Amino acid sequence: MENVRVRFAPSPTGYLHIGGLRTALYNYLFAKKHGGQFILRIEDTDQTRFVEGAIENLINSLHWAGIDYDEGVIVDDKGHVSQKGDRGPYIQSQRLDIYKKYVDELIENGYAYYCFCNKERLDDLREMQRAEGKIPKYDGLCRGVSLEDAKKRIAAGEEYVVRLKMPKNKNLEFDDLVRGHISINSDDVDDQVLLKSDGYPTYHLAVVVDDHLMGITHIVRGEEWISSTPKHVYLYEAFGWEKPTFVHLPTVLNDQRKKLSKREGDVSVEDFKKSGYLPQGLVNYLALVGWSPADNREIFSLKEMEEVFDFDRVSNAGGIFDRNKLDWVNAHYMKELSGDEIYDLAKPYILEAGLMDEDYYKNHKDWIIFLFQIIQDSVSNLKEIPAAISFAFEDAPDLGEEEKEILKGETVPKLLQALEDKVSSIEDFTFEEAKGLMKAIQKETGIKGKNLYMPTRIVLTGVQHGPELANILYLFGKDKILQRIARFK
Ligand code: GLU
């Protein structure tokens, strides 16, 4: 394959949507697989939607997800936005001169025209067309204004936009690697505004000019842009440029087959991070929303994905975002965390839950790591850790009805007495001691199975299930075990 160059071109809306992360990921994987370059371009030509800090937020989310790029906008160590690469600038609002030059070229060559219609006229026109049951479309009135007149009106200070002059009855065609061959008649396409009255280009002009000048070979983006593509195809033709290959990705949907929306909970990368997902878990799962490898494998590192990823296995139907499946994939990566990793990553969740304060967290590292390790296999994300370890902190856990019933068992008093005696007699409560304790109690009292383990567990933790008993005993140590037994005697 030619030297692959792809780009992710988000508008800085304030956050990175999970669907955007998947688009970035597929671009990244494709570039890596073919030894090409991946570019991050910021499409900020809609000044009405400017959001402070949005670029930094976007880049931080990509960085967190482990998706890096070769050229484009970066945030340095000090948090400053800068750029790298020799085809910049990579922020569209810094390229206004470039767009102006290409718009002028289109006008001179008869592919675009100045339009002076004001908002009122356009609103009336739209309303009239709607009333007639037609799809609203510019009627081409200003096509009739000669270039000479138009220039005079502009010199006199009249406001204008520049529109693309769509040809009549022409098939605009392209091949999409996911959607196949697509052909649309130009009569169904509007005379798109290319340059707005504020001097900014619209998305359509900027995207074509930039993709061409930046040498983009494959345009990989969400399918919501597919209806814009015929306009772009015509622009490539008007400029006399070779068009790139198009790849439109299926939308990431919720289980109602609707676009994931803020109202239903987590949609941005930031949201998922806050909800305790690991970048490797989120990225691995996300890759599978709309794509599947030939062997239906489900757990991949980024590196492994790079090798097998291709667009021929991207589905053309929307991909359903399944939270349970995400949990399952993320749980896999939770299990893989080392003690030090989980200690660092879980800290904000533990502090937020108020289970320990900063000093305690710092001063009990080994104990905390042991605690995490005994519950690590039972949680699917970092946010679940506080609940999973709370048994070790509540001094008087509330018991449920069933638990209370179990503690009324005939052999319970004898069991608790034996436990208390035995634990009191142990000088050095090592892990070996903890491991042998229940066997010793069984031998001594004759109490076994459920009657032995359940009450002990409930007395220690308040609940019937949880980490292995030997681990709990060791974690608690002598004093805490005795303290908890005392409560029930
Ligand atoms: N700026 C567009 C967006 O926000 C990019 C579309 C494209 O990739 O062409 O998604």
Side-chain angles (χ1 to χ4, degrees):
M1 197 174 287
E2 79 227 86
N3 180 27
V4 163
R5 284 177 63 83
V6 290
R7 85 310 190 261
F8 177 51
S11 297
T13 54
Y15 63 93
L16 178 56
H17 191 279
I18 201 78
L21 177 61
R22 195 201 49 181
T23 300
L25 172 66
Y26 285 6
N27 271 291
Y28 168 91
L29 293 174
F30 188 68
K32 287 280 174 201
K33 174 159 182 179
H34 296 286
Q37 287 94 45
F38 177 36
I39 292 139
L40 177 71
R41 183 173 71 224
I42 299 295
E43 302 207 327
D44 60 344
T45 56
D46 188 350
Q47 291 293 297
T48 58
R49 291 173 64 195
F50 178 80
V51 179
E52 189 66 47
I55 296 180
E56 290 88 333
N57 185 298
L58 232 157
I59 293 174
N60 289 338
S61 289
L62 284 175
H63 184 71
W64 175 79
I67 297 185
D68 54 19
Y69 40 89
D70 308 284
E71 291 170 35
V73 185
I74 52 175
V75 173
D76 67 17
D77 297 343
K78 297 190 190 71
H80 297 143
V81 174
S82 62
Q83 306 188 29
K84 62 170 176 179
D86 54 11
R87 304 245 196 151
Y90 297 92
I91 297 180
Q92 288 187 329
S93 59
Q94 297 173 5
R95 299 172 62 82
L96 300 186
D97 294 350
I98 302 175
Y99 306 127
K100 178 79 175 62
K101 169 176 166 253
Y102 284 101
V103 164
D104 288 347
E105 184 184 314
L106 288 176
I107 293 171
E108 291 308 321
N109 294 335
Y111 290 105
Y113 61 96
Y114 294 105
C115 172
F116 302 91
C117 293
N118 60 22
K119 186 173 175 303
E120 233 166 53
R121 172 167 196 271
L122 295 174
D123 286 348
D124 288 350
L125 178 67
R126 206 171 304 128
E127 215 154 283
M128 224 165 62
Q129 289 169 330
R130 282 220 179 98
E132 286 168 19
K134 290 188 191 145
I135 297 171
K137 198 167 163 250
Y138 182 61
D139 60 357
L141 181 73
C142 290
R143 283 181 176 220
V145 180
S146 74
L147 193 50
E148 214 188 321
D149 281 350
K151 284 185 175 164
K152 275 189 206 143
R153 287 170 74 171
I154 291 167
E158 215 175 309
E159 244 191 33
Y160 68 94
V161 300
V162 176
R163 286 182 184 273
L164 180 60
K165 195 186 280 176
M166 266 292 154
K168 292 276 167 254
N169 192 21
K170 177 180 169 70
N171 282 336
L172 301 168
E173 308 191 31
F174 62 99
D175 289 306
D176 186 291
L177 288 190
V178 172
R179 299 302 206 86
H181 185 74
I182 293 180
S183 170
I184 289 192
N185 192 281
S186 61
D187 290 351
D188 297 326
V189 183
D190 209 352
D191 277 2
Q192 178 63 50
V193 173
L194 300 176
L195 195 73
K196 296 178 276 186
S197 54
D198 61 2
Y200 277 77
T202 55
Y203 158 69
H204 306 280
L205 176 74
V207 78
V208 169
V209 169
D210 289 351
D211 285 337
H212 174 72
L213 295 180
M214 294 179 188
I216 301 304
T217 56
H218 296 73
I219 293 183
V220 183
R221 63 183 168 207
E223 67 186 350
E224 65 269 30
W225 300 105
I226 206 161
S227 59
S228 301
T229 308
K231 295 172 190 169
H232 305 173
V233 166
Y234 184 61
L235 274 170
Y236 278 100
E237 195 179 311
F239 282 122
W241 296 337
E242 194 188 326
K243 58 179 188 293
T245 302
F246 291 97
V247 187
H248 286 96
L249 306 172
T251 309
V252 177
L253 304 169
N254 64 17
D255 52 10
Q256 315 288 310
R257 300 201 67 82
K258 297 222 175 70
K259 218 179 148 183
L260 288 186
S261 89
K262 267 256 179 247
R263 264 169 290 123
E264 299 151 26
D266 297 341
V267 288
S268 72
V269 174
E270 193 75 25
D271 294 338
F272 284 93
K273 181 182 171 195
K274 281 202 190 112
S275 292
Y277 292 94
L278 301 172
Q280 51 283 43
L282 184 63
V283 164
N284 182 157
Y285 172 64
L286 211 46
L288 300 172
V289 182
W291 169 76
S292 58
D295 58 2
N296 281 324
R297 184 169 161 196
E298 296 188 291
I299 299 292
F300 295 90
S301 67
L302 258 185
K303 269 250 148 315
E304 290 164 336
M305 272 187 250
E306 283 167 23
E307 278 156 36
V308 289
F309 182 80
D310 223 328
F311 293 121
D312 56 5
R313 296 194 59 86
V314 169
S315 126
N316 58 14
I320 307 276
F321 191 89
D322 176 348
R323 190 75 179 229
N324 293 329
K325 187 81 179 272
L326 168 65
D327 282 342
W328 178 80
V329 172
N330 201 67
H332 170 85
Y333 292 97
M334 287 297 297
K335 291 190 185 92
E336 284 195 340
L337 294 177
S338 70
D340 280 327
E341 284 170 333
I342 197 166
Y343 177 77
D344 289 340
L345 291 168
K347 185 176 167 189
Y349 300 88
I350 303 299
L351 298 188
E352 197 193 321
L355 288 177
M356 303 172 220
D357 63 21
E358 187 114 34
D359 274 347
Y360 191 94
Y361 203 82
K362 214 163 79 202
N363 297 331
H364 296 79
K365 183 168 176 183
D366 290 344
W367 183 80
I368 292 168
I369 289 181
F370 181 76
L371 171 57
F372 286 163
Q373 285 176 333
I374 68 177
I375 54 93
Q376 200 168 348
D377 283 1
S378 70
V379 291
S380 52
N381 61 56
L382 296 164
K383 208 178 176 177
E384 287 175 7
I385 295 181
I389 62 167
S390 65
F391 71 87
F393 296 89
E394 290 163 9
D395 274 333
D398 281 337
L399 299 190
E401 286 312 311
E402 223 174 280
E403 286 74 18
K404 282 185 192 155
E405 226 22 69
I406 292 174
L407 289 192
K408 286 186 193 145
E410 208 184 311
T411 51
V412 172
K414 189 173 161 194
L415 168 67
L416 294 188
Q417 191 57 54
L419 265 172
E420 188 177 63
D421 294 346
K422 183 84 195 160
V423 172
S424 304
S425 74
I426 299 172
E427 271 304 311
D428 183 13
F429 200 79
T430 61
F431 190 62
E432 283 312 304
E433 289 285 358
K435 249 172 87 180
L437 186 68
M438 297 316 286
K439 275 264 171 304
I441 300 286
Q442 177 179 339
K443 230 166 149 191
E444 207 176 293
T445 61
I447 303 169
K448 54 184 188 219
K450 260 190 136 151
N451 290 337
L452 176 69
Y453 289 102
M454 272 309 172
T456 307
R457 206 175 251 294
I458 293 168
V459 163
L460 293 177
T461 69
V463 287
Q464 299 181 50
H465 303 285
E468 221 167 286
L469 207 43
N471 286 333
I472 297 172
L473 289 164
Y474 179 66
L475 177 83
F476 280 9
K478 195 165 159 175
D479 290 351
K480 197 160 185 164
I481 298 173
L482 292 176
Q483 194 189 345
R484 295 219 165 174
I485 293 173
R487 248 191 94 205
F488 294 98
K489 278 192 67 207

